[in-house]
Amino acid sequence: QVQLVESGGGLVQAGGSLRLSCAASGRAFSGYATGWFRQAPGKEREFVAAIVWSGGSTYYADSVKGRFTISRDNAKNTVYLRMNSLKPEDTAVYYCAADRTFGSLSLNYRDEYDYWGQGTQVTVSS
């Protein structure tokens, strides 16, 4: 069993930066791909970024490509999402999720993931 806890959200002005962290319990986490999703009020939860267990491959939604960077430190059981050049449309609750299926090619699909955190609010003011 893996438990995920997000942190690092907050209120920031447009153009600013934040770094989200996803801390995991359980030794197996280092072998799981991990993704970040977000959900704005009245909208579906959408894919933001994902990283494979080794950190060797990363994937991004077009809307965040070039502004967000996902990374991981398996020694600390933590995955990060660095968000630069934030826009008001980035405002949402951000969730991290872990996929225990090795070699998944569907990391942009929320149904692929087995474990979810409780989310952290990111608000970008204009």
Side-chain angles (χ1 to χ4, degrees), residues 11-22:
L11 174 64
V12 64
Q13 288 188 331
S17 299
L18 283 174
R19 189 180 77 159
L20 305 184
S21 299
C22 173

Side-chain angles (χ1 to χ4, degrees), residues 103-120:
S104 171
L105 299 178
S106 305
L107 295 179
N108 56 325
Y109 288 99
R110 63 185 184 186
D111 290 346
E112 180 66 26
Y113 293 85
D114 304 290
Y115 305 103
W116 290 83
Q118 83 292 347
T120 186

Side-chain angles (χ1 to χ4, degrees), residues 14-65:
S17 299
L18 283 174
R19 189 180 77 159
L20 305 184
S21 299
C22 173
S25 65
R27 289 179 295 175
F29 177 76
S30 61
Y32 295 168
T34 306
W36 285 96
F37 289 73
R38 65 187 182 187
Q39 187 167 17
K43 293 188 176 182
E44 295 287 320
R45 191 171 299 189
E46 64 175 5
F47 170 74
V48 175
I51 187 167
V52 299
W53 71 272
S54 65
S57 294
T58 56
Y59 307 90
Y60 297 94
D62 288 343
S63 59
V64 307
K65 205 170 290 184

Side-chain angles (χ1 to χ4, degrees), residues 54-103:
S54 65
S57 294
T58 56
Y59 307 90
Y60 297 94
D62 288 343
S63 59
V64 307
K65 205 170 290 184
R67 299 189 298 123
F68 290 11
T69 303
I70 189 171
S71 61
R72 68 189 300 156
D73 184 340
N74 284 340
K76 296 182 178 179
N77 259 18
T78 303
V79 172
Y80 305 97
L81 185 68
R82 176 69 179 180
M83 305 185 295
N84 295 329
S85 302
L86 282 161
K87 305 174 181 180
E89 51 263 45
D90 294 318
T91 295
V93 178
Y94 283 71
Y95 299 89
C96 71
D99 174 14
R100 63 186 177 190
T101 302
F102 183 80

